[in-house]
Amino acid sequence: MEIKKEVFGTLSDGSVASIYTVSNDEMSFSVTDFGCAITSILVPDGKGGKTDVVLGYSTLTGYAEGTSSFGAVVGRFANRIGNAKFELEGKEYLLDVNSGTKDSLHGGFDRYEKKLWNSKMVSTKNGLGVCFTHVSHDMEQGFPGNVKIELTYTLNKDNQIALKYKASTDKATPISLTNHSYFNLAGRGSINEHILQLNCPAYLEVNKALIPTGKMISVEGTPFDFRQPKPIGKDIAKVAPGYDHCYVTESYSEEIENAFDGDLKQVAEVREPVSGRAMRVYSDQIGIQLYTGNFLDNELGRNGMRYNKHEAFCLETQCFPDTPNKKEFPSCILTPGEKYKALTVYEFIF
């Protein structure tokens, strides 16, 4: 196994971003310290070459100017917060309205994905990789508390990319971190024929703005049922414009009071029938957002490729959306002295 570091480009303020490539004998992934974005995952194509199974841009400028969060870290709170506000310890906090007409999404406008993180190469029991750190200051994005964040992305000899998240705070604050990689196991084209299995018995009911109502709905007998493998596109027309819903994983139970208390379980498996490639997702998070690239619209990506609707899927492991406003959901509040920890593993089979 090996890891190399290169200059990725220069930002408008003159700071220089790096890109790291970690490889084993069969596959590799690349990640930049700008937004901790996974820019590439190369797997064998069966013909002596490699296929990139994530969407991305060719240049740093693409990541600096792009709006689709390709491969990026998402926080301080992933997904949506209704009415762009929440109350904590008797105080109301106002967030950016950047989703629909009144909601906040992925941290608003001042996103983690547009920041240059501190980074260093690491060797751990989980393989080789990169450790990223960032201090999210008190009231950044509207959230309370100075939060120290550490992310470690590693690749091992078993073709597993592990994403490990840690955080601590000096004030009580909501937190939910995830990675926003867009996958296409064929490399390009529609993902409707990808075969998906989700080990999730329920999903979160949402309103028209995709804000959870607080109810968990059994997937049985609905287009959301992926407990048995089926093509992503089989029922997608029934949930137009596509899937953008949080599923309840087997790490959730009614006894869990804190959303950080789950156990690592296999949550999902996706297989591309033509190439035979597959990806398994393991996580200790209670929620996983299935998003089918519903809003991709002729976006210019890597090597001149154009990305369009339903040409990628995201599987974003996270706390439940709008948890700061939903007392019925396990708490996402991190308090001083506590540690936020989350782990997600992508395993590739080819």
Side-chain angles (χ1 to χ4, degrees):
M1 294 189 64
E2 65 177 7
I3 181 171
K4 64 179 181 179
K5 176 182 178 181
E6 300 174 289
V7 172
F8 192 32
T10 303
L11 296 165
S12 58
D13 64 359
S15 56
V16 177
S18 299
I19 190 167
Y20 298 83
T21 300
V22 187
S23 58
N24 60 22
D25 292 335
E26 296 185 290
M27 64 169 289
S28 67
F29 82 96
S30 297
V31 59
T32 173
D33 50 9
F34 184 72
C36 307
I38 295 175
T39 61
S40 176
I41 299 178
L42 294 175
V43 299
D45 64 2
K47 302 176 183 178
K50 302 284 187 181
T51 295
D52 204 328
V53 295
V54 291
L55 275 56
Y57 302 106
S58 297
T59 65
L60 175 62
T61 300
Y63 289 93
E65 297 179 356
T67 59
S68 295
S69 306
F70 288 154
V73 62
V74 176
R76 182 175 303 185
F77 193 87
N79 216 314
R80 294 170 174 84
I81 294 181
N83 297 313
K85 63 182 179 181
F86 63 93
E87 185 176 306
L88 180 60
E89 297 181 338
K91 182 177 179 179
E92 185 176 72
Y93 292 90
L94 303 179
L95 309 174
D96 293 334
V97 175
N98 70 325
S99 178
T101 59
K102 61 180 181 178
D103 305 316
S104 188
L105 175 66
H106 293 335
F109 298 117
D110 187 20
R111 295 190 178 192
Y112 290 174
E113 68 188 79
K114 302 301 183 184
K115 299 181 185 297
L116 191 63
W117 291 55
N118 297 315
S119 61
K120 65 177 181 180
M121 293 181 283
V122 294
S123 178
T124 74
K125 64 179 181 180
N126 295 318
L128 293 179
V130 187
C131 179
F132 303 98
T133 57
H134 171 67
V135 177
S136 180
H137 293 291
D138 185 36
M139 299 311 297
E140 183 176 85
Q141 301 177 337
F143 292 95
N146 295 293
V147 177
K148 296 180 179 179
I149 305 171
E150 178 183 294
L151 312 179
T152 305
Y153 297 177
T154 55
L155 173 68
N156 65 18
K157 295 180 181 179
D158 296 320
N159 301 320
Q160 295 175 330
I161 299 175
L163 283 63
K164 191 172 184 178
Y165 307 80
K166 294 181 180 180
S168 61
T169 184
D170 61 2
K171 290 183 183 178
T173 188
I175 187 168
S176 179
L177 305 174
T178 194
N179 177 271
H180 208 292
S181 287
Y182 290 68
F183 297 95
N184 184 317
L185 298 183
R188 64 186 309 165
S190 171
I191 47 89
N192 283 342
E193 297 305 316
H194 282 52
I195 308 298
L196 170 64
Q197 181 175 17
L198 284 172
N199 301 323
C200 299
Y203 69 99
L204 301 184
E205 182 183 63
V206 294
N207 63 22
K208 292 182 179 180
L210 299 177
I211 303 297
T213 64
K215 294 181 180 180
M216 299 180 193
I217 306 296
S218 171
V219 298
E220 186 170 357
T222 75
F224 300 94
D225 193 350
F226 286 93
R227 291 174 298 172
Q228 297 299 317
K230 72 175 182 181
I232 291 175
K234 181 178 180 181
D235 296 316
I236 201 167
K238 299 176 183 178
V239 288
Y243 295 97
D244 194 0
H245 297 78
C246 187
Y247 282 76
V248 181
T249 77
E250 293 179 336
S251 289
Y252 169 82
S253 74
E254 293 182 355
E255 288 73 35
I256 287 182
E257 296 182 357
N258 189 304
F260 317 144
D261 290 340
D263 297 320
L264 190 69
K265 298 180 183 296
Q266 182 175 328
V267 180
E269 180 171 324
V270 190
R271 179 171 55 85
E272 200 284 302
V274 177
S275 67
R277 295 188 192 99
M279 180 181 80
R280 293 177 182 149
V281 182
Y282 304 85
S283 182
D284 57 7
Q285 297 295 280
I286 62 171
I288 184 168
Q289 185 86 2
L290 169 62
Y291 173 57
T292 49
N294 309 328
F295 303 110
L296 293 176
D297 184 16
N298 201 37
E299 181 152 0
L300 180 62
R302 183 187 303 111
N303 299 325
M305 292 178 64
R306 293 284 179 173
Y307 302 134
N308 286 292
K309 183 178 179 179
H310 300 165
E311 291 190 350
F313 64 89
C314 302
L315 290 168
E316 306 159 57
T317 55
Q318 57 192 241
C319 301
F320 293 159
D322 202 35
T323 290
N325 294 312
K326 296 291 190 295
K327 294 181 179 179
E328 56 267 53
F329 290 168
S331 174
C332 66
I333 303 301
L334 181 68
T335 60
E338 288 184 321
K339 295 291 185 182
Y340 169 88
K341 294 181 180 180
L343 175 63
T344 294
V345 177
Y346 299 126
E347 179 181 17
F348 294 89
I349 302 153
F350 33 79

